[in-house]
Amino acid sequence: MSKKDLFMASLLGGAIGDALGYTVEFMKLDEIKAKFGEDGITDLELNPYSGKALISDDTQMTLFTADGLIWAFDRMRERGIGSYAGSGIYQSYLRWLYTQTKSLPDEHYDWLLDPQPHEDKGSILAHKELFSARAPGNTCLSALGSNKMGTMERPINDSKGCGGVMRVAPVGLFLHRNPEQAFKVAAEVAAITHGHPSGYLSSGALAVIIAELLNGKNITESTNSAMMILKEYPQHDETLKALENAIQLASSGESPEIAISKLGQGWVAEEALAISLYCALKEPDFKKALILAVNHDGDSDSTGAICGNILGASYGLEVVPEQWANQVELKELIAEVGSRLYDRYMKM
Ligand SMILES: [Mg+2]
């Protein structure tokens, strides 16, 4: 399996999981079963107007993360200084804010809407689907609207919502050769909007899991590597415990329904990561794992998205059902952004 294949599969898998879960994001398991039957939702719902399965803010922001990485990489190469979070990803997230609110926090940022040098193949702002409001997270909207960039040292708030972790898979893909760096950058990227340690450390952990999967480790080995690096950061206990619980429950005889409810609902970052990881460990089949990841009381699209990121990076495109791949919204843009991210990785 080529690394380019894994880049593509992780992004596409995340989008499919997001789309599968978005239909039932705000439904309790009982309500999901009442509507879709005892097995819950098992197939993508197609929008009657576009004929596509709609992605949500999770995939929209993941695409802005990937585009921001490319932006930052090019600027840092040109200038010789900078950081991924501050030299492209923050700017890319302000563009995301613009897609959702039609405004930027300051007119000083108007230039962000102009074509940029890294967009030689066209701007992602040309895609109207990215401007649709798909239940965007309030923490992301208010943090980015504040005209301040959050960092781990200067937290912007005390939020540990899953809006940080659900968007950082591209960091793990891009920086997979250096898992410690992947952790740090993904945590910095999440801290732009989420100031609670569990909010940004969960993001660091996911990036390492994705990175180590690209390095050929299996999901358990990749999680062990993530926990080793996580322990070097202050205030890691809550995130570490969530990961330990996911691994322990996946190897226990506990039924998935009970196991997932023990891990939480996924509205907060460490729970979203733990549920996603549990489903990827418990069920090796791509389709069954994603179905497991979205049929619960909690934040189904984010757990579906993160689980899909992990499964794709683990197994590659050959396990992604062709029908689902063809039905998901913005499939071509996802492939194009993945390909551009891979091209930059090759130039590193
Ligand atoms: Mg969402």
Side-chain angles (χ1 to χ4, degrees):
M1 224 172 325
S2 75
K3 290 208 168 158
K4 187 170 184 178
D5 184 296
L6 298 175
F7 269 57
M8 299 303 199
S10 183
L11 296 177
L12 187 60
I16 291 171
D18 178 26
L20 186 67
Y22 182 49
T23 306
V24 296
E25 179 179 8
F26 299 109
M27 292 165 79
K28 296 278 177 199
L29 184 58
D30 288 348
E31 296 169 309
I32 298 173
K33 286 182 175 177
K35 180 160 182 198
F36 295 97
E38 198 45 38
D39 294 335
I41 187 168
T42 59
D43 206 354
L44 293 175
E45 292 279 293
L46 305 185
N47 178 274
Y49 301 102
S50 66
K52 295 288 175 189
L54 304 186
I55 54 163
S56 85
D57 60 331
D58 304 57
T59 304
Q60 290 172 332
M61 291 199 85
T62 299
L63 287 168
F64 280 92
T65 302
D67 199 54
L69 276 166
I70 294 166
W71 196 352
F73 177 75
D74 286 5
R75 289 171 91 190
M76 288 195 288
R77 257 178 36 136
E78 197 187 301
R79 298 173 184 185
I81 53 158
S83 69
Y84 286 107
S87 302
I89 296 177
Y90 176 60
Q91 292 76 7
S92 190
Y93 288 164
L94 290 178
R95 285 175 144 198
W96 172 82
L97 178 72
Y98 180 79
T99 67
Q100 301 298 298
T101 65
K102 278 284 156 64
S103 68
L104 290 164
D106 191 301
E107 63 189 26
H108 153 79
Y109 286 119
D110 285 354
W111 66 277
L112 294 178
L113 303 179
D114 297 335
Q116 299 299 319
H118 76 286
E119 299 181 296
D120 48 337
K121 295 195 177 81
S123 173
I124 67 169
L125 292 177
H127 297 266
K128 66 178 187 334
E129 294 88 342
L130 293 176
F131 287 76
S132 291
R134 305 278 169 78
N138 282 328
T139 300
C140 289
L141 292 171
S142 61
L144 292 167
S146 74
N147 204 12
K148 287 197 205 78
M149 180 182 140
T151 64
M152 287 190 273
E153 296 75 26
R154 283 189 307 273
I156 193 160
N157 53 35
D158 196 31
S159 173
K160 59 169 182 165
C162 69
V165 66
M166 57 68 155
R167 65 180 194 236
V168 298
V171 177
L173 296 171
F174 190 62
L175 299 174
H176 68 267
R177 278 193 287 217
N178 186 339
E180 283 85 7
Q181 186 192 16
F183 190 108
K184 181 168 181 284
V185 171
E188 287 168 350
V189 164
I192 291 172
T193 54
H194 288 70
H196 189 290
S198 302
Y200 56 75
L201 295 179
S202 298
S203 303
L206 175 64
V208 176
I209 293 170
I210 300 278
E212 294 289 28
L213 289 170
L214 263 84
N215 293 328
K217 294 186 176 168
N218 67 29
I219 300 174
T220 305
E221 293 162 350
S222 300
T223 307
N224 287 333
S225 174
M227 292 195 294
M228 292 286 290
I229 298 171
L230 171 65
K231 285 179 194 167
E232 292 163 19
Y233 285 77
Q235 297 180 275
H236 61 257
D237 291 0
E238 194 170 53
T239 305
L240 184 65
K241 189 81 197 137
L243 292 172
E244 287 170 349
N245 288 344
I247 290 180
Q248 188 267 321
L249 282 164
S251 61
S252 77
E254 194 67 270
S255 79
E257 197 172 317
I258 303 282
I260 290 172
S261 71
K262 283 186 176 173
L263 291 170
Q265 297 205 339
W267 301 107
V268 293
E270 79 279 10
E271 291 181 8
L273 178 60
I275 293 170
S276 309
L277 184 62
Y278 165 83
C279 296
L281 284 167
K282 188 74 186 172
E283 182 48 80
D285 178 85
F286 180 90
K287 210 167 181 172
K288 288 180 185 165
L290 283 193
I291 290 168
L292 195 57
V294 304
N295 283 289
H296 54 77
D297 287 342
D299 192 353
S300 301
D301 61 338
S302 297
T303 52
I306 298 166
C307 186
N309 291 144
I310 294 172
L311 296 167
S314 184
Y315 305 123
L317 284 173
E318 65 177 24
V319 304
V320 179
E322 209 178 323
Q323 185 175 325
W324 279 4
N326 288 326
Q327 287 171 331
V328 79
E329 188 180 37
L330 288 180
K331 176 197 168 198
E332 291 78 13
L333 178 64
I334 292 162
E336 187 204 308
V337 168
S339 169
R340 283 167 50 206
L341 190 67
Y342 181 78
D343 288 345
R344 295 308 197 283
Y345 152 74
M346 289 294 283
K347 286 184 186 163
M348 225 184 283

